[in-house]
Amino acid sequence: KSEPETFIMPVFGEITFDYAMDRLVYSKTLDEWRTHRGIDISSSMGTPVKAVADGVVTQIKHDPRFGITIVIEHKSGLKTVYCNLANDSMVVPNQKVRQGEVISSIGDTALFEIAEPAHLHFEVWKDDVLFDPKDYLSPAK
């Protein structure tokens, strides 16, 4: 089988909250133990968020829990989800984006993660199944 394309980091920063669908992790904001569908990468407010690979913007939504969210579809059934963004005005649905293109910046719109430091909540889906984003991200060079 062909290896997945390598994604670049959407933002440079430390992973402060790990992917956890197979175990429960503590949410400071909600004061409860829960699963976590992606990774949180800490970075300052306003840091540019980049598309991890070439793709097409399929959704821009204001999620009541995860804030301003942009979804990009890539080849091979892959989809990346960027949450807790500052704005939704840099890209539009059906827009083609290139790897490394800035699509938004880090905000504080995710009510479910508001007690955490400024960060990007990032998810990777393949054929509508969640995967650990770290399996796809190449380490920062």
Side-chain angles (χ1 to χ4, degrees):
K1 89 182 182 54
S2 65
E3 274 310 293
E5 60 184 303
T6 305
F7 291 163
I8 62 166
M9 290 294 286
V11 291
F12 288 108
E14 191 188 331
I15 294 175
T16 51
F17 218 76
D18 238 334
Y19 172 84
M21 289 309 289
D22 53 351
R23 66 189 193 281
L24 297 177
V25 287
Y26 183 70
S27 162
K28 280 196 292 222
T29 309
L30 301 173
D31 188 26
E32 66 182 27
W33 291 85
R34 57 186 300 114
T35 55
H36 191 243
R37 299 185 341 188
I39 58 174
D40 291 350
I41 306 167
S42 76
S43 211
S44 0
M45 292 285 282
T47 300
V49 173
K50 299 178 175 123
V52 296
D54 294 357
V56 176
V57 175
T58 54
Q59 256 188 317
I60 299 173
K61 58 187 178 185
H62 289 246
D63 185 280
R65 297 166 306 169
F66 288 102
I68 295 173
T69 298
I70 293 175
V71 180
I72 298 176
E73 273 186 23
H74 310 280
K75 56 185 188 227
S76 315
L78 285 164
K79 187 166 72 172
T80 52
V81 182
Y82 309 76
C83 308
N84 199 32
L85 301 171
N87 63 63
D88 61 1
S89 57
M90 295 176 86
V91 290
V92 293
N94 302 316
Q95 179 179 333
K96 284 188 170 74
V97 290
R98 310 281 308 161
Q99 184 176 54
E101 192 174 323
V102 175
I103 58 168
S104 187
S105 59
I106 292 188
D108 60 353
T109 56
L111 296 179
F112 263 36
E113 297 184 343
I114 207 84
E116 311 296 329
H119 69 279
L120 171 72
H121 175 91
F122 178 71
E123 299 175 9
V124 173
W125 295 74
K126 180 164 173 58
D127 302 325
D128 294 322
V129 178
L130 266 171
F131 282 87
D132 185 340
K134 292 194 306 302
D135 293 346
Y136 288 91
L137 292 170
S138 61
K141 293 188 179 45

